[in-house]
Amino acid sequence: MSDRNKKVIAFTLGLLAIGFGVMTIKSGGFALFGGVEGKDFAGRYVPFVLWFNFIAGFFYVISGIGIILKTKWALKSSIILAALTLLVFLAFGIHIFLGNPYETRTIGAMSIRTIFWIFISVSLMKIGSNNKQEISL
């Protein structure tokens, strides 16, 4: 893969991460701080999942910027986000298993978030990183 292709892929992944983060902050912020309309929008939300996703949205943006700037920590941050999202998703699964109320669409949203960050991490690994975890572009 050419250096130019690697740069385009990294830039695109960074933009996707930033966009996903902004959408996550917006929807989570509305659910948390949007009053009655926000609570109606959120439905039977699970507080720890909603708060995690809202806060993680800011880290999505930061990670996206790191990917675009080819920082040493960009790959690590994407792996950490994938792992933390998977852990929260598992905790959410336990919450459901225990018979607690939940919003069905959260299953889809958490699936997308988990797959997204695994995809970003694997893609960054494939375009190449050196021993310092810096994206080599």
Side-chain angles (χ1 to χ4, degrees):
M1 181 180 306
S2 74
D3 285 346
R4 179 169 169 25
N5 287 345
K6 289 179 182 181
K7 287 179 183 178
V8 169
I9 291 169
F11 187 79
T12 303
L13 293 174
L15 285 180
L16 287 171
I18 292 167
F20 198 40
V22 169
M23 290 187 321
T24 299
I25 293 164
K26 183 178 177 186
S27 64
F30 181 61
L32 289 167
F33 309 115
V36 175
E37 288 180 31
K39 300 295 183 218
D40 289 344
F41 165 76
R44 293 177 297 174
Y45 69 94
V46 178
F48 75 88
V49 175
L50 179 57
W51 275 102
F52 169 79
N53 287 330
F54 175 68
I55 293 167
F58 292 95
F59 288 96
Y60 295 0
V61 172
I62 293 167
S63 291
I65 293 167
I67 292 167
I68 289 171
L69 297 177
K70 300 172 285 208
T71 62
K72 293 180 181 183
W73 48 265
L75 176 58
K76 284 182 183 178
S77 69
S78 68
I79 293 169
I80 290 168
L81 283 167
L84 289 174
T85 304
L86 182 59
L87 286 173
V88 171
F89 197 8
L90 290 172
F92 176 62
I94 292 167
H95 173 86
I96 293 169
F97 180 75
L98 294 174
N100 294 305
Y102 65 98
E103 188 65 41
T104 305
R105 66 183 172 195
T106 305
I107 297 168
M110 290 303 292
S111 297
I112 291 168
R113 283 177 168 79
T114 303
I115 292 167
F116 179 83
W117 282 104
I118 290 171
F119 171 78
I120 295 285
S121 299
V122 170
S123 297
L124 291 176
M125 286 184 238
K126 284 189 176 190
I127 64 172
S129 63
N130 62 26
N131 292 335
K132 295 178 188 172
Q133 299 298 317
E134 183 176 6
I135 303 167
S136 307
L137 301 176

